[in-house]
Amino acid sequence: MTAQDRNTVMAADLYGDLLVDTRQPPQRWQTRVPGLAMAIVASLAAAWLSDHYGAPIVLMGLLIGLSLSFVSAEPKLIPGLTFASHTLLRIGIVLVGAQITFAQIGSLGIGAFAALIGIMALVMLTGIVVAKLFKQDVMFGLLAGGATAICGASAALALWSLIGEKRIDQARFTIVLVGISVASALAMSFYPPIAEFLGLTDRQAGFLIGASIHDVAQAIGGGFSFSRTAGEVATIVKLTRVTLLAPVLAIVAIALRNQGMGADGTAKRIQIPWFVLGFLVLVGVNTAIPLPPQAVDVSHTVSKALLLVSVTATAMKSQMAVLLTQGWRSFAPVIAATLVAFALSLGAALIL
């Protein structure tokens, strides 16, 4: 591999999965400190901006990380940034399970639950169809549609771990992250006023917001900005979408295996990522033995912090030169999937 090729791969290697040298011994934790500290400081800056100016915290982390992407040229920072973007995000996904119970999902009712599954399926299909229309591959459309339909960055990571970097390089993966972050921020700002303009009830507004906004925090925040009841409904609907991540991953894994399309291009045994299994275990534990409110609050705070640090580190590991080579067409699947999600969610909210 030439130096230029290696730089290109490193630019796309946001989660540290491409350039892993198995001939070297595992790195000591001390090597991760500089990069991890850099990601934490940048995340604190993002949190400050979000708190003082009301901007979405994940979007602020993403933008600050991109503005600091030049630090990826420093080898000493790579281990810590890789740990933050790879491991911390997975731990954060697991901790989200402590905030959900299967009883919450059941409280939606059969009609609303069926509508939600239909919406998610059609949104994912939209991403695939639009990707093909714009001369992009099906797997990219699946990634964009799946991230939009389920839970944004977390779903994108989980789906990408199954699809593999040989089919979707990490530069395009970053495009999906940027697209869903911006779309989710805009949705949180505009959907509640639209719901009020249309005269939706609290339950209808909650379903619309929870079923169509990508990011968990922004979906919940958007619901409560409408009303307390709408916020509670949006929370249940959104967390139900998060829980459906596991069966969606199983279906994708089966489809990839049937087509001989594993992450390395070969058929392989179906494996659900460990962080998804950990997520389901925590949901089950919280259902069987409800966790104390204090524990749920702590898990929410920690998972939100880990997600922020991981997204910031992800952006810092990218290189703007590579991202700028991606045209506006790369955002088309996310845009189309977002619009379809809103239209379908609004229709379901009016009917239910």
Side-chain angles (χ1 to χ4, degrees), residues 292-307:
Q294 295 85 350
V296 175
D297 291 340
V298 170
S299 70
H300 172 72
T301 301
V302 174
S303 63
K304 185 177 180 180
L306 292 178
L307 178 61

Side-chain angles (χ1 to χ4, degrees), residues 148 182-200 204-215 218-219 221-223 225-226 241 334-346:
T148 303
V182 173
S184 187
L186 292 174
M188 183 185 68
S189 300
F190 289 104
Y191 288 6
I194 291 175
E196 185 174 0
F197 175 78
L198 295 175
L200 300 185
Q204 289 173 330
F207 184 90
L208 167 64
I209 294 170
S212 57
I213 296 182
H214 319 327
D215 179 75
Q218 290 170 357
S225 70
F226 187 89
R241 289 169 64 193
V334 172
I335 295 172
T338 299
L339 295 175
V340 169
F342 174 79
L344 293 176
S345 299
L346 177 59

Side-chain angles (χ1 to χ4, degrees), residues 158-180:
L159 287 167
W160 185 84
S161 69
L162 291 179
I163 295 171
E165 72 277 2
K166 290 186 178 180
R167 294 192 173 275
I168 299 178
D169 61 49
Q170 294 196 15
R172 290 198 296 165
F173 179 69
T174 304
I175 290 293
V176 173
L177 283 179
V178 173
I180 59 177

Side-chain angles (χ1 to χ4, degrees), residues 4 31 33 50 64 92 121 135 142 163 165 181-182 186 200 208 216 226-227 271 284 288 307-308 323 333 347 350:
Q4 181 177 0
T31 63
V33 171
S50 176
I64 289 178
K135 310 301 182 183
L142 175 63
I163 295 171
E165 72 277 2
S181 296
V182 173
L186 292 174
L200 300 185
L208 167 64
V216 175
F226 187 89
S227 71
Q271 293 182 336
L307 178 61
L308 173 61
L323 297 179
L350 293 173

Side-chain angles (χ1 to χ4, degrees), residues 7 10 68-78 81 316-319:
N7 289 336
M10 287 183 67
L68 295 174
S69 59
F70 61 88
V71 303
S72 62
E74 174 54 58
K76 292 182 179 180
L77 298 178
I78 297 301
L81 294 177
M316 292 171 68
K317 285 188 64 182
S318 66
Q319 290 189 8

Side-chain angles (χ1 to χ4, degrees), residues 128 132 137-139 142 163 167 251-268 270:
I128 294 172
K132 295 188 68 175
D137 57 88
V138 171
M139 290 297 105
L142 175 63
I163 295 171
R167 294 192 173 275
I251 294 172
V252 171
I254 293 172
L256 293 177
R257 174 178 169 79
N258 289 341
Q259 298 180 30
M261 295 166 59
D264 58 0
T266 62
K268 55 172 60 179
I270 298 173

